[in-house]
Amino acid sequence: DTGVSQDPRHKITKRGQNVTFRCDPISEHNRLYWYRQTLGQGPEFLTYFQNEAQLEKSRLLSDRFSAERPKGSFSTLEIQRTEQGDSAMYLCASSLDPGGKEKLFFGSGTQLSVL
Amino acid sequence: DQQVKQNSPSLSVQEGRISILNCDYTNSMFDYFLWYKKYPAEGPTFLISISSIKDKNEDGRFTVFLNKSAKHLSLHIVPSQPGDSAVYFCAAKREGAQKLVFGQGTRLTINP
């Protein structure tokens, strides 16, 4: 399977704990994105990497959130001191975009529940 | 502010008939539009797209129409099949930007 892989699929944590999610993009894709989706809403952009460089961050990404993509391969998204409002589906996507037309390939997401 | 809006949370269509999903946007800088389909417990999958220089794009049973003056696009599915039952998201992108702006989604149910 060469699709976008996310781990874990589900995460339940207590408020105040730190959590980390992993995303493995399609191997030849140089662009990687994180989105967040809450119930009844569409995905909202969080951040974007081209290779290992984080080129854009949304205002939604507070100081408690950090994302990395070492060596331009897999990416991690860490949330520190989780809050109940962080409960959402965290989606990773990747693309190989020579022409600016963003056909993103999404993973199945990590469902975070903060109790 | 919701720059991309899908005002119908749900739509029910009989199998074999046409499904029409609508999407409105407010940002005139958007120049590329996409539709994604999402099944439960899966990520969104790309369906069809259209550039702002076109007013129609067709791919098999799926056709997207763009009306720039009205800032409106629609997705037509004909004939509708039970496997089309899913949540459909409209998304838009500005030239030079990387992020997609999504609508809230429309849940389509195809009844046998």
Side-chain angles (χ1 to χ4, degrees):
Chain A
D1 181 25
T2 57
V4 177
S5 176
Q6 291 189 247
D7 183 69
R9 291 294 303 273
H10 304 274
K11 179 69 176 179
I12 300 174
T13 191
K14 292 183 179 180
R15 189 175 51 189
Q17 298 294 305
N18 299 343
V19 294
T20 300
F21 310 139
R22 176 179 170 123
C23 171
D24 288 273
I26 295 172
S27 59
E28 64 267 26
H29 286 184
N30 61 339
R31 298 180 182 220
L32 186 146
Y33 307 77
W34 286 98
Y35 282 78
R36 180 173 70 185
Q37 185 179 10
T38 53
L39 199 61
Q41 299 297 316
E44 294 177 291
F45 172 81
L46 292 179
T47 190
Y48 150 69
F49 291 84
Q50 182 168 327
N51 299 312
E52 67 275 11
Q54 187 174 20
L55 297 183
E56 189 174 349
K57 291 172 61 174
S58 165
R59 289 172 295 174
L60 295 174
L61 218 61
S62 75
D63 291 345
R64 297 184 297 105
F65 288 71
S66 62
E68 295 182 342
R69 191 184 182 198
K71 301 179 182 178
S73 56
F74 71 93
S75 176
T76 59
L77 178 67
E78 180 182 17
I79 309 174
Q80 296 181 329
R81 306 181 303 282
T82 52
E83 302 173 355
Q84 288 184 327
D86 297 331
S87 296
M89 173 73 79
Y90 289 84
L91 292 163
C92 177
S94 69
S95 75
L96 180 62
D97 176 47
K101 300 308 181 190
E102 293 292 347
K103 179 179 176 179
L104 302 187
F105 293 82
F106 282 88
S108 297
T110 295
Q111 181 68 53
L112 173 65
S113 298
V114 181
L115 306 179
Chain B
D1 65 337
Q2 191 73 33
Q3 297 185 68
V4 178
K5 297 182 182 181
Q6 296 176 254
N7 292 317
S8 298
S10 62
L11 177 67
S12 186
V13 174
Q14 195 166 5
E15 181 179 359
R17 306 295 286 267
I18 184 171
S19 297
I20 300 176
L21 296 95
N22 294 304
C23 177
D24 297 293
Y25 62 96
T26 58
N27 191 336
S28 58
M29 301 300 290
F30 288 145
D31 73 333
Y32 193 62
F33 303 89
L34 308 90
W35 285 92
Y36 278 81
K37 179 169 72 173
K38 186 181 184 302
Y39 292 120
E42 296 183 12
T45 55
F46 171 78
L47 196 55
I48 192 169
S49 62
I50 188 167
S51 169
S52 60
I53 62 174
K54 295 185 176 182
D55 55 16
K56 176 182 174 181
N57 189 26
E58 189 172 355
D59 184 2
R61 296 186 298 114
F62 303 92
T63 303
V64 56
F65 295 92
L66 175 62
N67 182 335
K68 284 187 294 182
S69 61
K71 294 191 178 67
H72 177 84
L73 64 156
S74 61
L75 174 68
H76 293 210
I77 306 173
V78 58
S80 300
Q81 299 175 353
D84 296 330
S85 295
V87 177
Y88 288 78
F89 292 100
C90 168
K93 175 184 170 299
R94 285 187 300 110
E95 184 175 6
Q98 294 303 324
K99 72 176 187 181
L100 294 179
V101 180
F102 284 85
Q104 309 96 310
T106 296
R107 181 177 300 277
L108 175 65
T109 302
I110 305 301
N111 302 308

